Amino acid sequence: QQADKFGVVPNADSYHALIDACKVAQQPASAAALLDEMRENNIPILRATDERLIAAYCGMPPGESYEEAFQYLEEAKSAGIVPSESMYVMIVRKCARERDPRANVAMEEMHTFGYPIGDSLRRYVEAGGIDELIDMPNENKRLPSNGRFTGRSNNSPNGRFTGPPRQSRQYYYNPHKET
């Protein structure tokens, strides 16, 4: 209705602008509602659409659920869309900040797709998503000796990561998971 008033044609670009606004406002549920509206209006869902939705969920404050970011990554892959490097980087960085062990699995999948994993991203994960720790000497970091997060995860109801085995590569989204 408002679009007609302002002469805006509902297309992927106009929806992308609205989804970007939802990201800035930290309203990812509104971004998801826009995705549903795109589907209802037969607007094509592009890789850029999925990138924006992932960014909206990965941009949430610490402790807020970001499971939907994994859902949109899996949906993109299921639709035959090759995930972009930026999709993986956003997810890896969010997982690192949340101390989620899936950061390592996402980096492995990133590597499988042929995307380079830079030293700065590795250091960010090793530092637990804290930029200030990246340049600190190793003795000041309190991480496991193998540099991987293990055990506890902030986004699981019981604090443990209990996803399917790694080889399945369907580790991102579990629609049956209790929230």
Side-chain angles (χ1 to χ4, degrees):
Q1 304 147 351
Q2 293 282 345
D4 291 338
K5 178 180 171 184
F6 294 108
V8 175
V9 177
N11 60 25
D13 291 333
S14 59
Y15 276 99
H16 288 169
L18 293 170
I19 293 170
D20 287 342
C22 293
K23 176 191 169 225
V24 171
Q26 294 189 332
Q27 297 293 321
S30 297
L34 289 167
L35 175 67
D36 292 339
E37 193 175 306
M38 286 178 75
R39 289 180 175 141
E40 289 170 12
N41 293 324
N42 295 318
I43 307 286
I45 309 302
L46 308 172
R47 181 163 78 171
T49 312
D50 292 314
E51 284 177 352
R52 285 170 166 81
L53 287 159
I54 290 169
Y57 281 98
C58 288
M60 293 301 294
E64 296 285 325
S65 176
Y66 55 97
E67 287 300 313
E68 291 84 349
F70 302 116
Q71 174 187 346
Y72 292 120
L73 180 66
E74 291 302 321
E75 284 180 11
K77 292 189 308 188
S78 295
I81 296 172
V82 176
S84 68
E85 181 179 1
S86 67
M87 288 176 171
Y88 282 108
V89 169
M90 287 184 281
I91 287 173
V92 167
R93 291 179 63 83
K94 179 64 174 176
C95 286
R97 287 190 302 273
E98 297 289 336
R99 307 289 199 285
D100 185 334
R102 295 177 290 178
N104 297 302
V105 180
M107 284 196 309
E108 289 172 12
E109 189 167 305
M110 210 176 144
H111 178 73
T112 301
F113 273 101
Y115 297 123
I117 301 170
D119 289 338
S120 62
L121 184 60
R122 286 186 196 278
R123 285 193 307 270
Y124 188 79
V125 171
E126 289 171 4
I130 303 171
D131 288 317
E132 293 81 30
L133 292 180
I134 291 175
D135 295 322
M136 291 178 70
N138 285 336
E139 61 270 8
N140 292 330
K141 297 179 186 175
R142 300 200 193 289
L143 295 174
S145 60
N146 66 2
R148 291 177 171 263
F149 297 115
T150 56
R152 302 205 76 68
S153 170
N154 292 338
N155 67 334
S156 174
N158 62 4
R160 308 285 284 152
F161 175 65
T162 57
R166 277 189 173 176
Q167 60 270 26
S168 76
R169 292 295 181 216
Q170 294 298 319
Y171 53 87
Y172 285 118
Y173 174 67
N174 180 354
H176 306 292
K177 180 178 171 184
E178 294 178 27
T179 55

